[in-house]
Amino acid sequence: MRRLIAPLALLLASTACTTPGEAINERMAVPDAFARIAPILTTPEAVDTSTYAQPQVARVVHVALDLDLDFAAQRVDGTAMLDILAEPDAQEIVLDSKGLQIAAITDEAGRALDYTVGEEVTQGGKGAPLTIQLDGAKTLRIEYAAASDAAALQWLSPEQTEGGVHPFLFSQGQAILNRTWIPTQDSPGIRQTWEARITAPKPLDVVMSGVRQGEPEDLGNGRRAFRFVMDKPVPPYLIAIAAGDIDFAPIGPRTGVWAEPATLPRARAEVGDTEEMVEAAEALYGEYRWGRYDMIVLPPAFPYGGMENPVMTFLTPTFIAGDRSNNGLIAHELAHSWSGNLVTNAVWGDSWLNEGVTTYFENRIMEAVYGKKRAEQEAALMFASIRETLDEVGEDAPGTALSTDGEYELGSAVAYEKGAFFLMTVESIVGRERFDAWLRQWFDNHAFQPATSEMFYEDMMANLVRSEAEAERLMLREWIFEPGLPANVAKPDPAAFAEVDAAVRAYAASEAIPGDYADWTSAERQRFLDNIPKDRSAAQLAALNEALGLSSTGNNEELFLWLELALANRYEPAVPKAEAFLARVGRAKFVRPLFQTLWDQGDWGRPIAQRIYADTRSSYHSVTQAGVDRVLASE
Ligand code: BES
Ligand code: ZN
């Protein structure tokens, strides 16, 4: 393939006219180029145990993919060219691979290079080391395929799409899944620029987490080729692809949304505040540095609410409620354009640096765009969620420290909500003005670089904290490195839900149905559903459902809370609705807890869970499958 960008040429300030091939050969002659490549952190706590790579010896700096999407075989097939930077005496480079079918590895001139694929670690998805003998090579060409079982990829049948006619493909790289379809060093601390040429059958469109280059090229064989470039070094988990029968609708000058034609109008209406959100985010923490901010609303099998793929956030359609009530999700994924994508956790045990900082930032965007009341209510829901987790696992459970050195734990309230409340607490102590100035310089000074908890702490000590007395009040190390919630936590304003909490008490006392439920915000309705007594008879559930229309809500967050409550009380009439929901939706945050709730119901729920899962498992992404498999294998 023709190379769209020469990574190292790009890194040279203004040598825009250099042709790619030359630039690569010039690399060694221009030592300055090295300075512009994102550094590798070498302190012990920055060493990623989820990669086989040894980036201090030899590292990938640029990936060029040339791949065909084969929907019939559910296979991705082609080549990856890797530009590498190696120590002068480096003999080999180690990449990550999980299940990749390697056909050949050569240097740029086509000279075969020796390689071995080591033994695959069966636990934890780490895969196997792919070790390549460099023999002086500066560029590697890997011919390979990713088969239908590649865990990052989900190939949807036409029936799993809204349109029902064409198949669909999407990828989910975070945390360590991209090694199942891209042979590179799959570690968040090893940033790489990338480009891609992707071919797909007509009439499918392809989008990626990079900037699409021009119009697709008709190849005359029923296929088209699409080209993409990401010229900023990103952690490789952010390389993402989606392909399907999709259309685009613009929002603002740099924002827009892709979705299936049948979904696009609803999607476009729901994300209508996105341009304002980008403006609000920039006003808070500095320029949006990625050019465009587009989104794609995927089919409901997508395993997450959202994924912050640069220039192309991936979204579940289940956030669409018709009233923009769930678009904290967009604020969240957008905020990752700073926390996560600009400044990235070097290791997954520090994922609070991505998710916690983002959850804080999300709440600030919500406040700026929708006002204090909505932000306070959403913060109060977050606080309830971290409280619930801590009550469940215990204040001193080691996994409740923000910085964990253990395995990456997915979806925990610790990284998200404890992380957010850490920053809210710091803000409340030093004041918003100082805090915002500090966070902005954190993003600026670490832009396009990896970071650790230790660096975050040091930076706060150096650039935020003014006195020893203030340091004592902040309790920074306790927040970051100790379990539980420190005593200085800035609790949410109890007034945020005063009315709802009174309604909860009235319902608990006398089953009084709140008359104005329909007028409440979604956050208020969620607060109510989450706090009413858990133990309900069938008659009580029927009355509640009848009065509040719970099973027919168009808001999936609320529907989920209703189904959980109903199934936890073995309420038969809710089973068909739960079954239909689980057959359509693959979002792990909904699917896993619903199966768990059924599973917890022993003789009543387990056969139902098994029956439903027998039908739905194959429609879920590997992430969701893994979560539910664990539930149904548990005691
Ligand atoms: N980056 C995460 C999704 C993720 C986390 C994927 C860990 C793989 C491993 C994304 O930004 C996220 O947090 N999504 C949430 C959004 C919510 C908190 C608003 C989700 O999917 O529910
Ligand atoms: Zn996130």
Side-chain angles (χ1 to χ4, degrees), residues 308 332-333 336 355 358 416:
E308 65 271 26
H332 180 98
E333 304 314 335
H336 273 306
E355 299 302 343
T358 291
Y416 289 77

Side-chain angles (χ1 to χ4, degrees), residues 434 461 464-474:
R434 274 175 62 202
M461 290 304 284
L464 177 65
V465 179
R466 284 191 177 159
S467 66
E468 242 164 68
E470 192 171 66
E472 234 164 81
R473 267 185 291 142
L474 286 166

Side-chain angles (χ1 to χ4, degrees), residues 93 185 190 242 249 279 316 380 409 450 453 547 571 609:
I93 185 167
Q185 295 178 318
I190 310 177
E279 282 162 16
T316 175
E409 215 193 305
S453 286
Y571 183 60

Side-chain angles (χ1 to χ4, degrees), residues 315-334:
L315 296 170
T316 175
T318 65
F319 88 103
I320 298 175
D323 59 2
R324 306 186 182 181
S325 56
N326 292 327
N327 60 5
L329 174 66
I330 298 164
H332 180 98
E333 304 314 335
L334 169 64

Side-chain angles (χ1 to χ4, degrees), residues 172-175 237 302-308 316 326 328-330 332-333 336 348 351 354-355 358-359 362 408-411 416-417 557 587 589 623:
Q172 166 59 42
Q174 197 183 6
Y237 71 87
F302 188 59
Y304 291 105
M307 179 64 212
E308 65 271 26
T316 175
N326 292 327
L329 174 66
I330 298 164
H332 180 98
E333 304 314 335
H336 273 306
W348 292 116
S351 67
N354 283 17
E355 299 302 343
T358 291
T359 303
E362 165 196 340
Y408 179 59
E409 215 193 305
L410 201 132
Y416 289 77
E417 280 85 11
E557 299 285 345
R587 185 175 175 185
K589 175 185 142 182
V623 162

Side-chain angles (χ1 to χ4, degrees), residues 384-519:
S385 138
I386 180 65
R387 268 289 15 126
E388 196 180 318
T389 300
L390 289 173
D391 291 345
E392 210 173 286
V393 303
E395 261 334 290
D396 47 11
T400 67
L402 285 177
S403 175
T404 60
D405 49 18
E407 289 291 297
Y408 179 59
E409 215 193 305
L410 201 132
S412 131
V414 174
Y416 289 77
E417 280 85 11
K418 182 179 172 182
F421 272 88
F422 170 37
L423 299 195
M424 289 179 196
T425 301
V426 174
E427 183 209 314
S428 78
I429 291 173
V430 306
R432 185 166 271 195
E433 203 178 322
R434 274 175 62 202
F435 181 78
D436 284 354
W438 176 79
L439 188 52
R440 187 191 273 241
Q441 69 79 39
W442 167 257
F443 292 140
D444 285 344
N445 292 333
H446 297 85
F448 302 109
Q449 292 176 31
T452 63
S453 286
E454 214 44 81
M455 288 164 65
F456 194 87
Y457 168 78
E458 291 297 339
D459 201 286
M460 277 192 156
M461 290 304 284
N463 299 318
L464 177 65
V465 179
R466 284 191 177 159
S467 66
E468 242 164 68
E470 192 171 66
E472 234 164 81
R473 267 185 291 142
L474 286 166
M475 304 170 80
L476 300 178
R477 290 202 79 82
E478 191 169 336
W479 268 102
I480 300 172
F481 299 105
E482 305 291 329
L485 268 188
N488 67 352
V489 61
K491 295 210 180 95
D493 182 355
F497 284 124
E499 191 197 339
V500 181
D501 292 345
V504 167
R505 286 192 296 273
Y507 174 78
S510 64
E511 287 177 44
I513 301 284
D516 48 357
Y517 183 86
D519 302 326

Side-chain angles (χ1 to χ4, degrees), residues 71 74 153-162 165-170 204 243-244 260 298-303 584 618-621:
F71 283 83
Q74 304 194 330
L153 304 177
Q154 188 171 8
W155 301 86
L156 303 182
S157 66
E159 298 73 50
Q160 286 181 277
T161 68
E162 189 83 27
V165 177
H166 299 287
F168 205 104
L169 166 70
F170 63 77
L204 304 192
E260 286 188 68
L298 294 156
F302 188 59
R584 192 174 56 85
S618 65
S619 72
Y620 297 148
H621 187 271

